[in-house]
């Protein structure tokens, strides 16, 4: 491929379908009307373009997230918080046994710039990788325009809490966040705040259900409150979590509405470990050594509770902290 390098990103001229190809280390990425093709020295792999772009969008927006982001059972990334592994077949028993797996480590800015360039070039005007399939047009076909507004959305990361002056604002029709079609029954009232005299500027509250009912994205945990490293990251879910997330710490899930099916697997081999249906009100602690993918038949509200301490992966892998946060 005729490669041109812009700020470290290696890209070719557009192919007959209008899409550039990219290379990063010994990996290459190309797409046509339906599929994405990933190649490495010992193998190659194909994914549907919509699934690939949905996964890539999360990896980019979440800055490689906590631990492992599997795009599917073969390719993905591991975040080392400063550098990132890009792998193929590394966490797949069959690829490992056949010695077809491959891993390369990159400085975070280089892999981020490359992934951003792929996402921007391969996302057509009709496709929103964050939207539910019902609320977006097609990812397929020859290249037609771009969708920079969708792929560069502001990520909500409250420093203290949504609705606190100077922090993330609440959502409303006026700010362009309409109530989702599946949450039309969610009450939109706001809490009344009655502070003791002298504490008026220090007490705050907002209606989390109303806030979530106006989310325009799916499978995108956003920080709505932070207490030191303890982050409440609720999200609205519909269809399939576009990544299989491999944990490097424990995560708590609180199912706030409706239902989500979870597939839980061994993080390193992909062996099935549990099938789980979470119903409204259920609470789960996902262990620190699993990977999981969720399926939401109808838009639902999920609270993901994360501890963002940078010490956790080391404490858990060295055995100083348990894999399970609770024993029954
Ligand atoms: C997770 O990997 O725990 C996760 C990711 C995105 C979501 C929900 C859960 O929307
Ligand atoms: Fe997870």
């Amino acid at each position: 491929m005729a490669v041109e390098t812009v700020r470290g990103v290696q890209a070719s001229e557009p192919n007959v379908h209008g899409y550039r190809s990219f290379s990063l280390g010994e990996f290459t990425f190309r797409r046509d009307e339906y599929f994405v093709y990933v190649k490495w020295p010992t193998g190659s792999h194909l994914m549907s373009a919509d699934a690939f772009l949905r996964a890539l969008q999360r990896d980019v927006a979440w800055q490689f997230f906590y631990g492992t982001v599997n795009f599917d059972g073969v390719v993905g990334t591991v975040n080392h918080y400063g550098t990132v592994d890009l792998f193929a077949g590394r966490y797949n028993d069959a690829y490992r046994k056949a010695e077809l797996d491959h891993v390369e480590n990159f400085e975070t800015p280089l892999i981020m710039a490359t992934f951003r360039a792929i996402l921007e070039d391969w996302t057509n005007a009709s496709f929103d990788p964050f939207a539910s399939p019902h609320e977006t047009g097609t990812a397929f076909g020859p290249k037609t325009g771009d969708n920079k507004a969708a792929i560069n959305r502001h990520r909500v990361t409250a420093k203290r809490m949504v609705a606190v002056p100077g922090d993330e604002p609440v959502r409303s029709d006026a700010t362009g966040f309409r109530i989702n079609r599946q949450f039309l029954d969610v009450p939109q009232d706001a809490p009344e705040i009655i502070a003791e005299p002298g504490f008026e500027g220090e007490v705050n509250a907002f209606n989390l259900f109303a806030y979530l009912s106006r989310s325009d994205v799916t499978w995108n945990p956003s920080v709505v409150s932070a207490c030191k490293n303890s982050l409440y990251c609720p999200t609205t879910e519909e269809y399939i979590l576009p990544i299989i997330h491999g944990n490097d710490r424990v995560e708590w899930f609180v199912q706030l509405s409706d239902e989500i099916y979870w597939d839980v697997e061994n993080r390193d081999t992909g062996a099935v470990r549990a099938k789980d249906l979470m119903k409204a009100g259920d609470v789960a602690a996902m262990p620190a050594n699993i990977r999981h993918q969720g399926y939401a038949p109808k838009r639902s509200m999920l609270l993901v509770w994360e501890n963002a301490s940078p010490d956790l992966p080391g404490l858990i892998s060295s055995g100083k902290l348990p894999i399970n946060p609770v024993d029954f």
Side-chain angles (χ1 to χ4, degrees), residues 131-145:
S132 79
H134 193 73
E135 296 176 346
T136 179
T138 182
F140 303 122
K143 183 165 169 69
T144 34

Side-chain angles (χ1 to χ4, degrees), residues 58 62 65-66 68 218-221 233-237 241-247 251-253 260 262 286 292-294 302 304 306:
R58 271 91 187 156
W62 305 343
F65 209 35
Y66 303 103
T68 310
T218 58
W219 304 104
N220 187 31
C233 308
T235 152
T236 55
E237 320 297 46
L241 172 57
I243 62 151
I244 310 168
H245 179 221
N247 285 4
E251 291 177 307
W252 288 86
F253 290 167
I260 299 179
W262 288 97
M286 290 285 171
H292 51 203
Q293 185 167 36
L302 173 70
V304 179
E306 296 280 1

